[in-house]
Amino acid sequence: MKKHQILIALIILSVMGLIVTRTAVLNNLSIAGLKLGKIQTELDSVRLENSRLKKELLKLSSLNYISSQASLLGFVEGKGNFTFNKPIPLAIKQ
Amino acid sequence: MIWRYRLILLIVILFFAAIIARLFYWQAVKGQELSLLGKSQYASVIKNLPERGEIKTSDGFPVATNKISYLVYANPKEIKDREKISEILSSKLQISHASVSSQLSLDKFWVPLKSGVDPEKKREIEKLKIPGLGFEKRFERYYPEASLSSHLLGFVGKTETGEDQGYFGLEGYYDRLLRGKEEITVEVIDALGRPILSRVNKDTENTKGSTLVLNINRTIQFIVEEKLKKAIEFYGASGGMAGVMEPSTGNILAISSFPSYSPDNYKDFEPELYKNPFISSLYEPGSTFKPVVMSSALDLKLVTPSMKCLICGGPVSIGGYEIHTWNNKYHEDINMVDIIRYSDNVGMVYVAQRLGTDNMIKYLGKFGIGEPTGIDLQGEVSKPLPEENLWYPVDLATKGFGQGISVTAIQLLGAFSAVANKGVRMEPHVVARVQSPDGEGAKIPLKTLGRTVSSQTAKIMTEILVNAVNKGEASWTRLKGYRIAGKTGTASIPIEGHYDPHKTIASFIGFAPADNPKFALIVILDKPTTSIYGSETAAPVFFDIARDLLLYYGISPSGE
């Protein structure tokens, strides 16, 4: 009889223990959702900022923008060119 | 007594049988339905919107990319004070009050209000905390260089079902590669709709389309566009186009045409402007076509550079038509070199007659005239050559000097590049390679289309063209110190059965440096008004661009 009682008590204790554990784990999981939500919002915000900065960077490095800024700064198109090395003549008259 | 126990046992058995039957009903018969119902409660379906692939020039700069924008939508059933909300939204979104009001009065759960709303505007509207209003994140096409190479790029419009679709140019030709894939992922949520577990999904990078890396050189494209735009204004032309090709590979380094449009706001422009005239407009090339015919005759040894023209003493009459030179000056006993130098139409009639119709057709085919070049842009057209039995003697004669035949600018540039490339014709290509979202690249292979003339003929023709530049009508504007091969063109425009006496298509085509060509360039001005001649309008533009290209490539003068 005693053995049976001990066994039943053990089973009841195990079941109660598992119920408590399950409750604790599920509670933690439900809170994790809040953190996930916050991280997702932050991620979206960072992605948006990246997109804005990329757009700004591309605009500033576009040739159209550089050309207009160069004009404002007084740069003009170079008309002449020069070379340091003269072509070697085929023959020289002495 | 025993019967009581048996009765209770029977009742218990029947009770459990009923439970088992009910369990079977809910788990087996209704199982799938309940599972779906459960999923709709614990799972949230999220669509990962596709991001269209970028288009980059050869230096890696994205000339077509994406920016984040929002579609503002509303649930009319949740909006109480429609009049007031319509007022607020129409002012914030800068759309008419009537359109907002009409959308909010619909008996629907979801109505779109405005797309393309930027993130700053979205934040402003969010702060108003209007119930029933939502925002859907989308990717919108963005062109950092504005309308630079707009005809090359094309634009992204919408299909009938509202999906993004590329039209014209590269956006149209490579639409299937550029499109991303819409991906559906599932997120597990709690009773309040908050996420519990992270999403069950694949790598989100897979929603992106492939990226195109072009042969287009951004600097050369910019130079060509700026100079062409200024030239059109300076010479009072109604339009113009220019293209640069690398003869040895067929790589397209620049294509520009005006009038143009902005792919960002394509709806604000006339649809006629969308097509790229460089590949989609046929024109009669005039004297720029003469080197093609002359090369053909030289290749067959039907003429030699020093051979004299026997009919060049005056105008020539063929089939009831009298053919003159462009300036009514005639040179008796002129040779082939000088026919090109003086752009002598009568001389070219002589060459065409020696060539004959069958050889003319054969060689024009070798040069790619009358068939598409295969360039990777949407909208290329071509006009096939007439069958041999449909050629009259006057057709042969006029085609000899580039009238009575229709080509596109890309066809002529490809044909000329073949002469520059020792007689070998290459398929023109705008795209160098395609990069998949995971970083792997597939190079577009070079394609040889065939041999047009022998390398010896190509060399002879090159020298004839260098002589034409140095001593011909455009010699006043040539770049001293450089050997450049080229030809002017002043083509009459056919109009209602005859040629317009006052308007022309002025052009210049050439390649440089003549001995080892780095680029072939064509400049075409449509109906210039300051002068009708190619030598006075298109030629200076050609040499202006060529000078900058030679400087850009660091090619020093050869001393000539």
Side-chain angles (χ1 to χ4, degrees), chain B residues 185-231:
Chain B
T185 61
V186 173
E187 189 175 58
V188 180
I189 55 172
D190 63 13
L192 294 172
R194 295 176 305 208
I196 297 176
L197 296 174
S198 61
R199 296 172 192 186
V200 178
N201 64 351
K202 299 170 213 169
D203 186 359
T204 53
E205 284 300 303
N206 286 341
T207 61
K208 279 192 81 165
S210 298
T211 292
L212 304 180
V213 180
L214 309 181
N215 290 313
I216 298 291
N217 183 305
R218 192 162 60 116
T219 305
I220 295 178
Q221 179 72 29
F222 184 80
I223 290 169
V224 167
E225 288 220 3
E226 287 296 298
K227 292 192 185 285
L228 183 64
K229 217 183 325 187
K230 282 180 188 152

Side-chain angles (χ1 to χ4, degrees), chain B residues 87-284:
Chain B
E87 195 77 45
I88 295 169
L89 288 176
S90 80
S91 139
K92 286 284 177 195
L93 294 173
Q94 289 173 327
I95 49 176
S96 68
H97 179 271
S99 74
V100 178
S101 182
S102 65
Q103 287 291 90
L104 293 181
S105 57
L106 292 172
D107 184 24
K108 289 183 179 176
F109 286 98
W110 187 96
V111 293
L113 294 175
K114 189 179 177 184
S115 63
V117 175
D118 61 56
E120 288 78 32
K121 184 63 70 179
K122 178 232 180 192
R123 247 179 264 129
E124 239 181 81
I125 298 170
E126 258 179 339
K127 283 180 186 161
L128 299 171
K129 292 192 191 327
I130 299 172
L133 206 67
F135 302 89
E136 200 177 286
K137 188 173 107 174
R138 294 215 165 154
F139 291 106
E140 200 182 310
R141 211 55 165 161
Y142 167 60
Y143 302 92
E145 289 281 9
S147 57
L148 186 82
S149 51
S150 55
H151 279 124
L152 262 175
L153 295 173
F155 59 86
V156 177
K158 299 279 181 202
T159 60
E160 281 166 359
T161 51
E163 285 177 357
D164 281 349
Q165 162 95 38
Y167 294 95
F168 300 95
L170 293 164
E171 297 275 23
Y173 191 91
Y174 287 99
D175 184 56
R176 290 180 75 86
L177 284 174
L178 288 166
R179 275 191 206 193
K181 276 185 299 183
E182 193 181 82
E183 199 178 59
I184 311 282
T185 61
V186 173
E187 189 175 58
V188 180
I189 55 172
D190 63 13
L192 294 172
R194 295 176 305 208
I196 297 176
L197 296 174
S198 61
R199 296 172 192 186
V200 178
N201 64 351
K202 299 170 213 169
D203 186 359
T204 53
E205 284 300 303
N206 286 341
T207 61
K208 279 192 81 165
S210 298
T211 292
L212 304 180
V213 180
L214 309 181
N215 290 313
I216 298 291
N217 183 305
R218 192 162 60 116
T219 305
I220 295 178
Q221 179 72 29
F222 184 80
I223 290 169
V224 167
E225 288 220 3
E226 287 296 298
K227 292 192 185 285
L228 183 64
K229 217 183 325 187
K230 282 180 188 152
I232 290 168
E233 200 182 309
F234 187 78
Y235 294 112
S238 58
M241 40 189 172
V244 186
M245 184 164 148
E246 199 172 57
S248 57
T249 57
N251 292 343
I252 298 293
L253 304 176
I255 286 181
S256 175
S257 41
F258 293 95
S260 185
Y261 66 98
S262 170
D264 266 326
N265 312 306
Y266 65 92
K267 287 180 201 166
D268 297 340
F269 296 83
E270 293 293 323
E272 293 80 45
L273 293 176
Y274 298 160
K275 66 171 192 178
N276 184 350
F278 202 85
I279 61 167
S280 304
S281 289
L282 293 160
Y283 75 107
E284 293 194 12

Side-chain angles (χ1 to χ4, degrees), chain A residues 8-85:
Chain A
I8 289 165
L10 272 171
I11 289 168
I12 290 167
L13 279 169
S14 308
V15 168
M16 280 173 64
L18 284 169
I19 288 169
V20 167
T21 310
R22 184 170 173 268
T23 310
V25 167
L26 285 176
N27 276 345
N28 278 337
L29 267 177
S30 66
I31 295 167
L34 280 169
K35 285 183 193 162
L36 269 173
K38 270 187 194 160
I39 291 168
Q40 192 61 47
T41 309
E42 221 173 285
L43 195 61
D44 285 342
S45 163
V46 167
R47 279 198 181 125
L48 202 63
E49 185 62 10
N50 273 349
S51 171
R52 187 191 70 79
L53 288 169
K54 181 183 169 187
K55 189 181 162 193
E56 191 64 23
L57 179 68
L58 290 176
K59 182 199 151 197
L60 292 174
S61 46
S62 71
L63 288 175
N64 275 312
Y65 180 79
I66 292 168
S67 170
S68 64
Q69 288 299 108
S71 295
L72 286 171
L73 291 168
F75 285 95
V76 294
E77 193 187 332
K79 291 290 176 195
N81 63 300
F82 57 90
T83 54
F84 287 112
N85 300 321

